[in-house]
């Protein structure tokens, strides 16, 4: 059976990057060009803008489930072609070259992958400027206008370049695919990608009333904040960093940065606390923090990408974290939503959701209105915090349905205990499950019954569990907020020492993994360790084979020796998480263990989702180790969902999983 490579160029007035492909294909969307090729045949192009017709055999093959279509980021081609043909194209008939590249540890983006593979075929650099040019309707309309202007001649020339660019993208994608096929994408990953596409296609419903009212309240609240800041500071634009820096300078405080972290350090510094204007400085910076709160901007993001049926689609990027294969968030970024800490969440939500319709029917902005939501509502937090906590609750099930929300309990801690055979930890998870208390008991040699939920020792056990399992030290504790617990450096050193001495098998696992990686690279060999994990050097890539058979990829690994520390240093090619550029990265035993544990946790989540789908459940979201199901009222139960999620994994015999869940009429945590 033939394989069909496809790349398309499109037009739509909606911003694709901010709204996503599902919203983008509504309204005035159109496909301009389709470049395609069967197997190694010549690449052809169809100019739909100039009324060229799609050949009947091509149309038939695009719609035929037996013909495999390949594309880089196949979700885009699949959704756009589904819209064009007004027929749902199943993900089963597509193969995504981007997913295959990410599986092998390559960077995002067709251009970056081609460069990383050092291919002869490279993406044309002028592509972005051509796309920008034809995203302007007036430029696109020049192609079919009756004028004979210089602008039309220029547009036609650019359009010919656009065709060459589209053809070249097929050429590059095909070349990438041929290289990647040397290491097959597991069939299980293809099936999981198909499920991912189903979830993205289904989307999740938005409470439109809550969304509109939240945006309304936020705008008024911030307008009043701006007016208040103007009154206090006499600044024209309180959101301007330069103007705010000048104002602070006038009060005797010079700052280089006004980031959240810098402001926190500034207000806690002894020097600034001695400033006679300290209270005024604190008030201004606190008000400005409310003004700049980014979480409430998610409401605007929801509005931008919500489809006509009030569902948001395309929230998840398969293999978004290409080291571990975990999903990443897109558009609204549901992976980092604020938690719900209000005790009266339901009451507050209903107040915000319904208040404007009764009290503010005109919805006119009144900047002089004393908008004090604190006393008006519940006298507990500023409105910005209230709205932040309500973001999750904007996601709702459809009519006559409810959400079942369930997540795995302490899954990473369970997996690292399983991999390292840390028996006391396994015993904890097989019995009471109180890992923070048990960890503190083990570390500080105190009876576990003496450690209460509020005790200082439990807090130390908790921070140790969160920060130290992957060879972290004092810096890891600090990044987890150790200083906020009033712990001094000597106490942090003691916590690190106590954790490692009470978890000798985990420490051993760090060393075992690092040695296996180094041995496999140095000898270009295969090294097996316990729990069916292997280190395989093949084709200038170091693969870590997981129990599921899936592989983690470390491209062009090298082992150097650091004389100063008298130890080997592992480096490989990868994408820097900060710069997003391809560079050489350094790793070590603890970090490799983290990759392995998080990858296995991802496999467990993936298998749970497949099992739930196969039992007829509709997944609308999944966040970290949590799954959100849209379930018909009166059908199934939380217990049944948790039972399916915790079904013994066929690759991880003996791993004791636990899932907890609840039902809700809106998403919350």
């Amino acid at each position: 059976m033939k394989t069909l490579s496809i790349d398309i160029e499109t037009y739509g007035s909606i911003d694709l990057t901010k709204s996503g492909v599902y919203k983008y294909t509504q309204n005035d969307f159109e496909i301009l060009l389709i470049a395609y090729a069967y197997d190694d045949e010549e690449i052809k192009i169809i100019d739909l803008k100039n009324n060229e017709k799609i050949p009947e055999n091509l149309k038939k093959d695009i719609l035929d489930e037996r013909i495999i279509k390949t594309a880089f980021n196949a979700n885009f081609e699949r959704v756009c072609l589904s819209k064009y043909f007004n027929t749902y194209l199943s993900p089963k008939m597509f193969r995504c070259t981007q997913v295959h590249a990410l599986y092998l540890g390559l960077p995002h983006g067709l251009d970056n992958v081609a460069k990383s593979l050092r291919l002869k075929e490279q993406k044309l650099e002028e592509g972005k400027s051509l796309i920008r040019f034809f995203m302007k309707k007036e430029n696109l309309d020049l192609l079919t206008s009756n004028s004979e202007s210089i602008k039309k001649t220029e547009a036609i020339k650019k359009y010919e370049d656009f065709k060459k660019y589209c053809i070249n993208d097929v050429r590059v994608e095909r070349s990438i695919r041929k290289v990647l096929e040397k290491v097959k994408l597991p069939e299980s990953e293809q099936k999981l990608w198909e499920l991912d596409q189903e979830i993205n296609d289904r989307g999740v419903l938005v409470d439109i009333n809550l969304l509109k009212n939240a945006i309304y309240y936020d705008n008024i609240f911030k307008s009043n904040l701006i007016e208040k800041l103007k009154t206090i500071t006499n600044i024209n634009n309180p959101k301007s960093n330069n103007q705010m820096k000048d104002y602070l300078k006038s009060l005797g405080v010079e700052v280089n940065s006004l980031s959240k972290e810098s402001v926190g350090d500034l207000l806690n510094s002894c020097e600034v606390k001695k400033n006679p204007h300290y209270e005024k400085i604190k008030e201004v910076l606190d008000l400005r923090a409310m003004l700049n709160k980014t979480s409430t901007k998610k409401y605007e993001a929801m509005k931008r990408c919500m489809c006509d049926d009030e569902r948001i689609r395309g929230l998840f990027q398969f293999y978004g974290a290409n080291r571990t294969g975990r999903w990443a968030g897109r558009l609204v970024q549901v992976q980092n939503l604020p938690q719900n800490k209000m005790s009266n969440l339901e009451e507050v939500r209903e107040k915000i959701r319904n208040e404007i319709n009764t009290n503010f029917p005109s919805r006119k902005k009144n900047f002089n209105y004393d908008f004090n939501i604190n006393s008006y509502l519940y006298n507990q937090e500023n409105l910005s915090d209230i709205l932040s906590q309500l973001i999750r609750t904007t996601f709702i099930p459809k009519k006559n349905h409810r959400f079942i929300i369930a997540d795995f309990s302490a899954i990473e801690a369970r997996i690292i205990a399983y991999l390292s055979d840390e028996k006391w930890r396994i015993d904890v998870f097989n019995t009471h499950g109180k890992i923070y208390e048990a960890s503190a008991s083990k570390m500080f040699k105190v009876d576990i019954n003496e450690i209460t939920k509020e005790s200082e020792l439990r807090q130390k056990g908790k921070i140790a569990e969160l920060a130290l399992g992957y060879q972290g030290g004092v810096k890891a504790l600090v990044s987890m907020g150790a200083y906020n617990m009033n712990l001094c450096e000597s106490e942090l050193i003691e916590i690190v020492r106590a954790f490692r001495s009470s978890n000798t098998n985990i420490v051993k696992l760090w060393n075992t993994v690092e040695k296996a990686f180094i041995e496999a690279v140095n000898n270009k060999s295969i090294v097996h360790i316990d729990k069916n994990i292997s280190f395989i050097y093949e084709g200038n890539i170091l693969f870590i084979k997981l129990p599921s058979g899936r592989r983690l990829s470390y491209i062009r690994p090298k082992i150097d020796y650091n004389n100063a520390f008298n130890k080997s240093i592992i480096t490989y090619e990868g994408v820097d998480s900060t710069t997003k550029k391809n560079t050489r990265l350094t790793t070590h035993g603890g970090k490799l263990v983290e990759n392995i544990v998080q990858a296995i946790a991802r496999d467990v989540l993936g298998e749970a989702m497949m099992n739930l789908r196969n039992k007829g459940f509709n997944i609308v979201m999944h966040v970290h180790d949590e799954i959100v199901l849209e379930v018909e009222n009166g059908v199934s139960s939380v217990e049944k969902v948790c039972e399916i999620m915790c079904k013994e994994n066929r690759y991880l015999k003996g791993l004791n999983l636990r899932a907890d869940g609840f039902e809700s009429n809106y998403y919350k945590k």
Side-chain angles (χ1 to χ4, degrees):
M1 192 67 71
K2 289 183 176 181
T3 296
L4 178 60
S5 302
I6 298 181
D7 185 73
I8 64 175
E9 300 301 337
T10 62
Y11 168 80
S13 60
I14 293 172
D15 189 329
L16 174 63
T17 58
K18 292 183 178 179
S19 301
V21 65
Y22 295 91
K23 176 73 171 179
Y24 174 72
T25 55
Q26 296 182 345
N27 303 323
D28 56 356
F29 160 82
E30 59 180 304
I31 296 178
L32 307 175
L33 301 168
I34 301 178
Y36 68 99
Y38 289 95
D39 297 330
D40 293 327
E41 294 177 9
E42 176 190 358
I43 301 169
K44 299 177 182 179
I45 192 159
I46 305 164
D47 184 354
L48 296 177
K49 183 63 182 175
N50 286 307
N51 297 317
E52 290 184 9
K53 302 298 182 184
I54 298 177
E56 281 302 316
N57 69 307
L58 176 62
K59 179 180 177 180
K60 179 183 176 183
D61 288 344
I62 290 174
L63 300 177
D64 189 341
E65 288 203 5
R66 296 170 298 173
I67 302 295
I68 297 301
K69 274 69 69 174
T70 71
F72 197 92
N73 185 21
N75 171 260
F76 181 76
E77 272 72 19
R78 186 178 66 81
V79 173
C80 289
L81 290 169
S82 292
K83 177 70 174 181
Y84 179 81
F85 289 111
N86 195 28
T87 301
Y88 179 73
L89 299 182
S90 168
K92 293 179 181 179
M93 64 173 85
F94 282 82
R95 299 294 181 270
C96 182
T97 314
Q98 182 183 51
V99 166
H100 201 159
L102 293 172
Y103 174 75
L104 291 173
L106 292 162
H108 288 260
L110 186 70
D111 52 345
N112 292 326
V113 174
K115 288 174 184 175
S116 183
L117 292 175
R118 301 166 187 174
L119 297 178
K120 177 183 176 183
E121 298 82 3
Q122 294 289 324
K123 192 173 175 71
L124 299 178
E125 292 183 1
E126 60 267 32
K128 289 181 180 178
S129 64
L130 290 169
I131 290 171
R132 285 194 298 269
F133 183 83
F134 289 110
M135 275 291 102
K136 295 179 180 178
K137 190 71 164 62
E138 60 270 24
N139 293 335
L140 196 60
D141 288 344
L142 285 170
L143 299 173
T144 53
S145 70
N146 293 322
S147 69
E148 296 298 330
S149 64
I150 295 174
K151 283 187 175 180
K152 179 177 179 178
T153 303
E154 179 189 2
I156 291 173
K157 182 180 180 303
K158 284 181 179 289
Y159 198 64
E160 289 304 311
D161 291 338
F162 205 26
K163 291 180 183 179
K164 293 175 185 176
Y165 168 73
C166 188
I167 289 170
N168 187 69
D169 270 6
V170 172
R171 183 178 294 114
V172 175
E173 184 274 333
R174 186 166 62 180
S175 297
I176 289 171
R177 177 163 47 85
K178 286 183 177 180
V179 173
L180 301 188
E181 282 175 348
K182 295 174 183 176
V183 181
K184 297 293 183 183
L185 182 74
E187 183 63 23
S188 58
E189 288 301 295
Q190 170 64 23
K191 295 293 185 186
L192 198 55
W193 176 75
E194 291 169 11
L195 173 58
D196 164 82
Q197 295 296 285
E198 290 175 21
I199 295 168
N200 277 313
D201 290 349
R202 180 177 297 118
V204 60
L205 187 64
V206 167
D207 187 329
I208 189 67
N209 209 44
L210 177 59
L211 177 64
K212 288 178 178 177
N213 289 0
I215 292 172
Y216 172 80
Y217 271 122
D218 194 45
N219 287 339
I220 291 184
F221 180 69
K222 288 182 176 177
S223 295
N224 278 274
L225 281 178
I226 288 173
E227 293 303 310
K228 189 170 184 178
L229 279 166
K230 284 181 178 179
T231 302
I232 296 171
T233 64
N234 291 319
I235 292 176
N236 291 328
N237 180 12
K239 296 182 79 172
S240 165
N241 281 344
N242 289 334
Q243 289 185 36
M244 185 56 67
K245 287 176 183 178
D246 289 342
Y247 171 73
L248 293 173
K249 188 176 180 180
S250 73
L251 298 180
V253 177
E254 292 197 39
V255 295
N256 295 320
S257 170
L258 286 170
S259 68
K260 183 178 179 180
E261 294 76 16
S262 299
V263 168
D265 292 341
L266 178 74
L267 293 176
N268 287 324
S269 70
C270 295
E271 184 180 347
V272 174
K273 284 184 176 180
K274 292 176 184 177
N275 188 298
H277 304 290
Y278 177 75
E279 291 303 322
K280 192 173 187 179
I281 293 167
K282 186 176 187 307
E283 181 185 15
V284 166
L285 292 178
D286 284 346
L287 289 171
R288 195 170 185 271
M290 291 185 209
L291 184 63
N292 292 333
K293 197 171 185 70
T294 57
S295 59
T296 54
K297 293 179 181 177
K298 289 184 184 291
Y299 288 113
E300 294 288 354
M302 288 182 185
K303 183 180 177 182
R304 280 194 302 271
C305 58
M306 184 177 65
C307 295
D308 291 343
D309 62 356
E310 298 176 3
R311 293 183 85 91
I312 295 178
R313 296 177 170 86
L315 288 172
F316 307 101
Q317 170 68 56
F318 189 75
Y319 245 94
N322 66 345
R323 187 65 49 223
T324 62
R326 282 186 159 186
W327 281 265
R330 291 293 179 264
L331 303 174
V332 182
Q333 297 291 351
V334 295
Q335 266 76 359
N336 61 357
L337 297 177
Q339 291 188 352
N340 310 113
K341 298 179 181 178
M342 289 183 287
S343 58
N344 53 347
L345 177 66
E346 177 74 24
E347 190 180 4
V348 173
R349 183 181 186 276
E350 285 305 303
K351 191 77 172 176
I352 295 287
R353 185 179 185 277
N354 299 316
E355 192 65 39
I356 291 177
N357 291 334
T358 57
N359 288 359
F360 304 103
S362 66
R363 299 194 179 216
K364 292 179 180 178
K365 289 185 180 179
N366 181 357
F367 297 119
N368 296 319
Y369 175 65
D370 182 16
F371 194 79
N372 187 348
I373 195 69
N374 298 329
S375 58
Y376 183 62
L377 285 177
Y378 298 100
N379 224 359
Q380 57 178 8
E381 300 171 85
N382 70 63
L383 180 62
S384 187
D385 285 335
I386 290 174
L387 293 179
S388 291
Q389 292 191 51
L390 291 181
I391 293 170
R392 286 178 187 268
T393 74
T394 311
F395 294 114
I396 58 172
K398 64 184 179 182
K399 188 177 180 180
N400 298 323
H401 287 66
R402 70 202 190 283
F403 282 157
I404 291 181
I405 303 165
D407 71 334
F408 287 108
S409 173
I411 189 168
E412 287 189 35
R414 289 170 184 267
I415 290 170
I416 198 170
Y418 170 81
L419 294 179
S420 63
D421 283 324
E422 197 69 75
K423 189 176 183 307
W424 71 266
R425 288 176 160 271
I426 294 171
D427 289 343
V428 167
F429 291 124
N430 286 340
T431 54
H432 55 76
K434 296 180 180 179
I435 189 62
Y436 298 153
E437 290 86 346
S439 186
S441 171
K442 189 81 172 174
M443 287 165 62
F444 303 109
K445 298 178 174 55
V446 176
D447 189 312
I448 191 171
N449 295 313
E450 296 179 20
I451 302 173
T452 64
K453 195 166 186 177
E454 292 75 28
S455 72
E456 183 179 315
L457 282 181
R458 185 184 184 277
Q459 290 304 308
K460 289 181 178 180
K462 180 177 180 179
I463 200 170
E465 286 296 314
L466 296 175
L468 304 181
Y470 303 127
Q471 212 169 347
V474 170
K475 287 184 179 179
L477 290 170
V478 171
S479 69
M480 283 288 179
Y483 287 154
N484 296 333
M485 296 169 56
N486 297 317
L487 295 170
C488 63
E489 186 144 345
S490 61
E491 288 178 288
L492 300 186
I493 293 171
E494 171 56 22
I495 289 173
V496 174
R497 186 206 63 77
F499 179 87
R500 294 184 179 183
S501 64
S502 59
N503 290 280
T504 54
N505 280 1
I506 289 178
V507 174
K508 181 181 176 182
L509 180 63
W510 302 337
N511 296 327
T512 299
V513 164
E514 184 169 311
K515 288 177 182 176
F517 191 109
I518 292 170
E519 182 182 341
V521 173
N522 282 339
N523 299 333
K524 295 181 171 50
S525 62
I526 300 175
V527 179
H528 302 286
I529 64 172
D530 289 344
K531 297 298 189 290
N532 200 23
I533 295 172
S534 302
F535 295 75
I536 304 165
Y537 187 91
E538 186 179 284
N540 213 7
I541 302 176
L542 190 286
F543 296 104
I544 300 179
K545 186 177 179 182
L546 303 173
S548 66
R550 185 166 70 95
R551 295 181 173 192
L552 308 185
S553 306
Y554 300 80
I555 297 174
R556 301 185 183 97
K558 286 174 61 179
I559 310 299
D560 298 317
Y561 197 80
N562 188 310
N563 290 317
F565 291 96
N566 192 31
K567 65 173 293 186
S568 295
I569 305 296
I570 300 170
T571 65
Y572 63 95
E573 280 188 17
V575 180
D576 185 275
S577 59
T578 303
T579 66
K580 306 301 180 186
K581 292 183 178 179
N582 212 44
T583 185
R584 288 209 73 80
L585 303 175
T586 302
T587 191
H588 56 83
K591 185 66 178 176
L592 293 169
V593 168
E594 179 181 36
N595 290 167
I596 292 167
V597 169
Q598 291 185 349
I600 291 174
R602 179 270 196 189
D603 287 347
V604 169
L605 178 71
E607 178 140 320
M609 291 199 299
M610 291 294 292
N611 289 338
L612 286 166
R613 194 277 299 271
N614 293 340
K615 292 291 184 180
F617 287 96
N618 288 331
I619 302 169
V620 292
M621 291 197 294
H622 53 94
V623 181
H624 302 305
D625 305 314
E626 175 185 76
I627 302 173
V628 183
L629 305 169
E630 190 175 58
V631 181
E632 187 177 352
N633 289 339
V635 175
S636 200
S637 66
V638 172
E639 292 73 23
K640 180 64 176 176
V641 168
C642 292
E643 178 187 333
I644 294 170
M645 288 175 64
C646 293
K647 178 183 176 184
E648 185 173 62
N649 191 292
R650 59 189 184 279
Y651 306 116
L652 301 164
K653 297 292 185 182
L655 174 62
N656 184 11
L657 295 171
R658 175 182 165 184
D660 300 304
F662 60 94
E663 297 181 351
S664 178
N665 292 321
Y666 48 79
Y667 181 44
K668 62 182 178 179
K669 188 176 182 66

